[in-house]
Amino acid sequence: MAITMAFQPIVDIETGSVFAYEALVRGADGQSAGEVLSGIEHDMIYKFDQACRVKAIELAGALFIPDGDAKLSINFMPNAVYEPDACIRASLAAARRVAFNPGRLMFEFTENERMLDTTHVQQIIEAYQARGFITAIDDFGAGYAGLGLLADLRPDMLKLDMALIRGIDSSAARRTIVANVVRMADELGIGCIAEGIETAAELQTLRAIGLRLCQGYLIARPAIEALPSSAIAASANR
């Protein structure tokens, strides 16, 4: 299946500025990520992962402001990254082709299945960080993305799973958990991003906790081969 990318902003809710745009895989005819991924054979995961990052960088070269600060956030499957240097070379080559500053690259890793080799993934993270790329654990607090993974890998950012964010305004338990995760991450020198925000009440609660980087349908829906306007950025800049 031919692929393209949709982009969704991650916004600093205090300044209204876009911290990053996450690239989300879509089918060429608008098929969802789930539909695309369901058609990928296991032995093709590595090739698919490479195709996604190259496509995201190529589109970013055409869409992003050349001298802007916003990052391009690319998802990758750690079990598919056999050789980090080869993946880095492919990313840098794609960035050169489209004159995209590789210093603006951010990589999110998430696990739908348990990591096969945590030591190897740690080496991937360290290789990316050595090149100046930002690394993030996606969907933190869900599935296998938990405290043990955080202790082993020490990424630059955590993306708090939407299951922790949904209804946080009316859940004392969620507020306590998120507030303590944010404080723990801060002590470790790790930033936090809240994803999946859908209501103004959720956003206000996160603001009160002190979480600045936010993503979700309330802020902007993903747009295929385009950078959507952020409702937060628009209101902050008026």
Side-chain angles (χ1 to χ4, degrees):
M1 180 187 294
I3 62 168
T4 188
M5 292 286 157
F7 294 91
Q8 186 179 33
I10 300 167
V11 175
D12 184 329
I13 60 174
E14 294 304 314
T15 66
S17 61
V18 176
F19 170 75
Y21 289 95
E22 181 180 1
L24 303 162
V25 68
R26 297 289 186 267
D29 295 322
Q31 295 95 330
S32 68
E35 291 177 272
V36 175
L37 290 167
S38 68
I40 306 301
E41 299 293 336
H42 184 74
D43 60 355
M44 294 297 290
I45 289 177
Y46 176 77
K47 185 176 180 180
F48 173 75
D49 185 79
Q50 295 303 294
C52 285
R53 73 174 60 203
V54 169
K55 185 67 174 180
I57 293 170
E58 289 176 345
L59 286 171
L63 295 171
F64 281 44
I65 299 171
D67 58 351
D69 295 324
K71 308 289 185 184
L72 168 64
S73 187
I74 299 172
N75 292 280
F76 77 93
M77 294 170 280
N79 290 343
V81 183
Y82 303 124
E83 175 49 61
D85 287 340
C87 295
I88 289 170
R89 286 196 296 271
S91 300
L92 294 176
R96 282 194 299 270
R97 285 197 302 273
V98 297
F100 185 78
N101 178 4
R104 297 169 68 179
L105 291 175
M106 170 176 164
F107 291 94
E108 302 181 22
F109 58 98
T110 189
E111 276 302 289
N112 293 322
E113 58 185 11
R114 188 177 298 278
M115 286 185 182
L116 301 178
D117 185 347
T118 303
T119 300
H120 178 54
V121 177
Q122 185 174 15
Q123 293 171 348
I124 295 170
I125 299 302
E126 291 172 353
Y128 281 15
Q129 291 173 333
R131 292 296 190 115
F133 303 148
I134 294 175
T135 60
I137 294 180
D138 194 14
D139 301 326
F140 185 76
Y144 296 109
L147 295 175
L149 198 62
L150 176 61
D152 289 338
L153 301 183
R154 299 295 295 273
D156 301 294
M157 309 287 295
L158 296 179
K159 294 191 74 179
L160 305 184
D161 187 72
M162 65 177 65
L164 291 174
I165 304 305
R166 185 69 60 250
I168 190 171
D169 53 296
S170 58
S171 170
R174 283 179 170 78
R175 289 195 298 275
T176 298
I177 291 168
V178 170
N180 280 280
V181 168
V182 171
R183 181 166 58 252
M184 173 189 65
D186 185 61
E187 291 178 2
L188 293 171
I190 297 171
C192 286
I193 299 168
E195 57 184 350
I197 301 163
E198 293 188 352
T199 71
E202 290 169 353
L203 185 66
Q204 184 56 41
T205 301
L206 293 166
R207 189 193 301 272
I209 288 172
L211 211 159
R212 293 179 56 163
L213 297 179
C214 295
Q215 179 181 17
Y217 281 5
L218 178 72
I219 296 167
R221 289 178 176 268
I224 294 178
E225 296 188 4
L227 302 182
S229 297
S230 161
I232 302 297
S235 62
N237 292 330
R238 280 202 293 265

